Amino acid sequence: MARPFASSADLGEKQQSLEVLAEGVYALTAEGDPNVGAIEGEDFLVCFEALATPVAAREWLARLREHTDKPIRYLVLSHYHAVRVLGASAFGAEVIVTHEKTRELIAERGEQDWASEYARMPRLFKEPASIPGLTWPTATFSDRFTIDLGGGRGDLVLRYCGRGHTEGDLVAWLPRQRIMFAGDLVESQAALYTGDAFHRDWSSATLDRVAAFGARTLVGGRGVVARGERGVAAAIAQTRDFLAVMLREVGAAGTLEEAFRRTHGALAPQYGSWPIFEHCLPFNVSRLWDELHGVERPRIWTAERDREVWDRLQR
């Protein structure tokens, strides 16, 4: 019996949990749905990630307003994927910050990614008609962007650690509290999506740079908040292992279909029950197959290409 396409059959609501990580530092997790966060400055807020629609974003902001009424000055977007960025209009932020490559990717493939992700994960797109259009950053950077939080609160540092989940991922780092918002560069007890990834860079130098911060609390793109040095190390190790297994199994295969079978068989015992594993794996393997066969930059995912890959592999 054929599997339902991607996450199209995942229509049940997820339980959201708002966690206070430190004074004025918040994270919202939701059983494997995309995580979001916020950091209080002296008289303003920095929000991290925007969710898929303004309606979904306003639900998160209503919960955040139970803790703070400060105006949102900055909205930080870790990368270009639609479920992370299309809710941006709800925030009314003065400044929307991304890495410079993220802006390029929005211009190059934002429309196609929007259609692709809506078909894959319709439940996340609450009232899609509320989306006014693509989200465009108003500030970009290449290596480092620092926000002075004021009032003796220290800095929030946005850093580029190299190619990974996409070509333009950033992390948000609070040095005083040793808290990191890692976007989808790290997942904690959730499967990876690597359909737009650079697997070799991500699994080596990029994760090395993430680990070098020495975070004691880490909010990944999906899954639970990783706490303590051991918990953070475990989340980074899980991410690295997932990528290493993929590289080994796809690299040893003679056809795309064999690559999928080998990779599924190797990953499923440990990761198969984690959120979005079955959804992601055909797209992951297809991208890595391309990468190992000389396609340097990820091909653009369209709704039509999604279905072709799914029907070919996830049977």
Side-chain angles (χ1 to χ4, degrees):
M1 183 176 178
R3 293 180 182 274
F5 173 67
S7 290
S8 61
D10 179 10
L11 302 177
E13 288 296 314
K14 308 299 183 185
Q15 180 65 46
Q16 294 184 336
S17 300
L18 193 154
E19 301 181 47
V20 181
L21 307 181
E23 183 180 357
V25 184
Y26 310 96
L28 187 77
T29 63
E31 298 184 303
D33 277 358
N35 295 335
V36 294
I39 301 102
E40 289 190 45
E42 181 180 17
D43 56 3
F44 64 91
L45 280 172
V46 182
C47 287
F48 188 79
E49 311 286 43
L51 296 174
T53 70
V55 169
R58 282 194 286 271
E59 291 178 1
W60 147 234
L61 291 172
R63 297 197 64 175
L64 181 61
R65 289 309 184 198
E66 295 173 6
H67 296 265
T68 174
D69 61 359
K70 294 176 182 177
I72 299 167
R73 184 174 298 171
Y74 296 92
L75 174 61
V76 177
L77 304 175
S78 67
H79 60 286
Y80 77 96
H81 285 153
V83 296
R84 303 287 179 185
V85 305
L86 291 180
S89 62
F91 292 78
E94 295 178 26
V95 182
I96 300 175
V97 188
T98 72
H99 187 263
E100 62 187 14
K101 285 293 182 183
T102 291
R103 193 187 199 289
E104 293 174 12
L105 289 163
I106 292 168
E108 178 187 47
R109 58 186 69 194
E111 290 282 359
Q112 297 94 323
D113 184 73
W114 178 353
S116 166
E117 294 198 43
Y118 179 49
R120 292 187 195 182
M121 297 173 280
R123 179 179 52 79
L124 298 182
F125 287 79
K126 294 184 177 181
E127 297 188 32
S130 67
I131 302 169
L134 293 175
T135 296
W136 295 99
T138 59
T140 64
F141 67 97
S142 60
D143 180 60
R144 179 187 182 106
F145 187 103
T146 301
I147 298 170
D148 180 358
L149 296 173
R153 293 171 179 264
D155 292 334
L156 173 66
V157 183
L158 311 181
R159 290 293 304 271
Y160 180 65
C161 295
R163 301 187 305 182
H165 174 72
T166 72
E167 202 169 0
D169 302 273
L170 62 81
V171 301
W173 171 237
L174 287 163
R176 289 194 178 183
Q177 299 93 333
R178 307 200 71 80
I179 296 172
M180 174 176 284
F181 291 86
D184 282 320
L185 283 176
V186 180
E187 309 293 9
S188 182
Q189 299 177 35
L192 274 62
Y193 175 66
T194 74
D196 296 297
F198 296 81
H199 297 75
R200 289 172 289 198
D201 288 5
W202 186 3
S203 63
S204 55
T206 299
L207 281 179
D208 288 347
R209 294 185 188 105
V210 172
F213 283 89
R216 293 178 187 157
T217 304
L218 184 145
V219 183
R222 295 174 183 264
V224 301
V225 175
R227 298 179 181 274
E229 293 179 1
R230 293 179 67 177
V232 172
I236 294 171
Q238 173 231 304
T239 304
R240 200 189 299 268
D241 180 65
F242 196 105
L243 294 165
V245 172
M246 287 188 62
L247 283 160
R248 182 187 72 221
E249 298 301 330
V250 175
T255 66
L256 179 61
E257 288 80 1
E258 181 191 357
F260 179 78
R261 290 193 300 270
R262 290 180 63 108
T263 305
H264 191 285
L267 288 173
Q270 183 170 353
Y271 304 112
S273 63
W274 287 5
I276 67 170
F277 175 80
E278 297 291 351
H279 167 159
C280 292
L281 202 62
F283 311 117
N284 294 355
V285 171
S286 179
R287 165 54 190 156
L288 181 51
W289 179 265
D290 280 356
E291 185 179 353
L292 296 179
H293 290 83
V295 181
E296 174 64 14
R297 297 187 69 243
R299 288 192 280 157
I300 295 173
W301 291 103
T302 64
E304 295 75 21
R305 183 174 170 232
D306 288 353
R307 290 281 183 172
E308 290 170 4
V309 169
W310 183 270
D311 291 344
R312 182 174 177 182
L313 299 180
Q314 190 64 290
R315 295 178 290 186

